[in-house]
Amino acid sequence: ADGCTRATFGPGGTHPEQTAPGLHRWMSEPAYGLPAMLDLAWDQAVEIHHIQLIFDSGLHRILTLSHSDKLTARMQWGKAQPELVADFQIEGRCGESWQTLAKVEGNPQRRCLVALDSPTRVEALRITVLRTHGLDHARICEVRAYSSDVPNCL
């Protein structure tokens, strides 16, 4: 991964000849709808205690104070942006069985930090997006799994 946590194409982004739509995020297939699953696996079991998710929150959309009616008509004020994941669950696999590690409903944040009750050994993680705040598919920019506390700088 290159550490970029947002798409870089489109108006105000990287010139179209220098990038391709969809870079820097995982997107489920809109035709399949929700729920959508993203599986991540390691070669051997790892211990995790915190999982950080960065969701697409429509950073391509202008959201600023303005006296321009034309500009403010394109904004979505007072509610979560439609791309943002609202409800999801995280499962962990060790051996052949999956166990639910966390369920989140009504997420309002681009950065969502999930602390597990206790450190857990897993060979794989599955993030299942159940609902967004309006979009018909899931978009996740980043997944990080930590074995201890998350560094303060994040």
Side-chain angles (χ1 to χ4, degrees), residues 2-52:
D2 62 7
C4 189
T5 59
R6 64 188 73 197
T8 59
F9 68 96
T14 302
H15 192 276
E17 295 173 1
Q18 297 174 327
T19 188
L23 291 180
H24 307 296
R25 67 178 170 206
W26 169 82
M27 296 187 334
S28 66
E29 176 58 52
Y32 297 145
L34 297 172
M37 291 183 287
L38 172 62
D39 287 354
L40 306 165
W42 289 269
D43 292 334
Q44 57 188 346
V46 296
E47 185 174 274
I48 59 171
H49 194 202
H50 292 85
I51 301 160
Q52 176 180 280

Side-chain angles (χ1 to χ4, degrees), residues 46-50 101 115-122 146-148:
V46 296
E47 185 174 274
I48 59 171
H49 194 202
H50 292 85
L101 303 177
L116 305 181
D117 292 334
S118 61
T120 304
R121 289 192 68 75
V122 298
Y146 294 96
S147 61
S148 60

Side-chain angles (χ1 to χ4, degrees), residues 39-42 45-46 91-101 120-126:
D39 287 354
L40 306 165
W42 289 269
V46 296
E91 297 170 281
R93 179 180 55 79
C94 199
E96 297 300 316
S97 64
W98 289 93
Q99 292 188 333
T100 300
L101 303 177
T120 304
R121 289 192 68 75
V122 298
E123 296 167 356
L125 283 179
R126 174 176 290 157

